[in-house]
Amino acid sequence: DKHALRQEAVVSTQSTGEHNVACGACEAAGKHIAKKLYDIFVDPSISQMSRVALEILDQDVIAYEGFALDQPVNGVSQISLLIPIQSLRNLINMIKQGEYDKYIAEYQPGQRTQSVDPDVLASILERFLPKDRQRFSFKAFTQNKNEKEMNQLLEAVIKKLRSLDHGGMEGSSTPTLIARKLSRSNLNF
């Protein structure tokens, strides 16, 4: 939590007496925390994810951002602490806001400034689908119509995301058609 991080930074500054050491330690800790949070989120061994888990991760990122904005050690810039968490923040925002239509329409293969990798986004979105979507189950049979439609749209988004880095759009739907469907469905978390 933010207060524990701040306390650690204060203790580090007091015990070493070396300002540069404290700054370096704070930045290294920030990078480590950001990497661990990102690694947890994209871990391929995680096959299911709930909206609650997404919210918990978002709260962890918010706590980290609050820590960075509090400038826990004089001389450590907020930006140097926020940059390591930015790719995770972008990924969470993309999923929560559900602006896949805009992302798909604006995607340019090989663009180094792309903030969210389409394959990473697709693999995370797959975790929100029912685990047994390939085989018949009672749950699939009893899903309400809206939930089924949302899952079908999510599957279409995943398919389009998977095709982005491979030079095109697979399937018969155009990106614009899917974008219109997504805009109407408000497919977000």
Side-chain angles (χ1 to χ4, degrees):
D1 101 323
K2 180 171 86 171
H3 300 294
L5 290 171
R6 184 175 238 315
Q7 185 66 18
E8 187 66 31
V10 169
V11 168
S12 174
T13 304
Q14 292 172 346
S15 66
T16 63
E18 295 287 330
H19 182 69
N20 289 339
V21 172
C23 289
C26 185
E27 288 176 351
K31 288 177 184 175
H32 176 75
I33 292 167
K35 182 179 179 342
K36 287 297 180 185
L37 288 172
Y38 186 84
D39 289 349
I40 290 169
F41 195 44
V42 300
D43 184 350
S45 69
I46 297 173
S47 61
Q48 284 292 145
M49 186 171 288
S50 69
R51 292 175 184 171
V52 172
L54 181 65
E55 278 303 315
I56 291 169
L57 182 64
D58 188 38
Q59 291 303 311
D60 288 342
V61 171
I62 289 169
Y64 176 87
E65 290 166 335
F67 164 75
L69 293 173
D70 283 348
Q71 289 186 308
V73 175
N74 265 347
V76 176
S77 74
Q78 295 171 343
I79 292 181
S80 68
L81 293 175
L82 290 172
I83 285 174
I85 202 87
Q86 193 60 47
S87 60
L88 179 58
R89 167 52 61 213
N90 290 341
L91 191 54
I92 291 171
N93 286 349
M94 174 75 67
I95 293 168
K96 288 182 73 174
Q97 294 167 2
E99 295 180 349
Y100 314 113
D101 56 338
K102 182 179 177 184
Y103 177 82
I104 290 169
E106 294 177 357
Y107 181 79
Q108 294 179 11
Q111 184 179 1
R112 292 180 55 94
T113 59
Q114 203 70 36
S115 64
V116 176
D117 180 89
D119 286 329
V120 171
L121 181 57
S123 68
I124 292 186
L125 289 176
E126 284 177 332
R127 297 173 187 178
F128 290 98
L129 289 170
K131 186 159 180 81
D132 53 3
R133 69 181 189 267
Q134 260 75 28
R135 54 191 137 96
F136 179 79
S137 72
F138 184 72
K139 183 179 179 186
F141 182 71
T142 59
Q143 278 181 328
N144 67 36
K145 182 180 177 184
N146 189 37
E147 194 174 335
K148 285 180 185 178
E149 288 174 0
M150 295 296 278
N151 286 338
Q152 288 172 342
L153 283 174
L154 188 55
E155 287 173 348
V157 167
I158 291 166
K159 185 176 180 181
K160 290 299 175 192
L161 288 169
R162 293 264 186 235
S163 72
L164 287 178
D165 267 343
H166 306 293
M169 303 292 168
E170 299 170 358
S172 59
S173 297
T174 64
T176 309
L177 179 60
I178 286 185
R180 274 190 239 130
K181 286 180 183 178
L182 289 173
S183 296
R184 281 184 263 144
S185 69
N186 193 24
L187 181 62
N188 57 27
F189 297 90

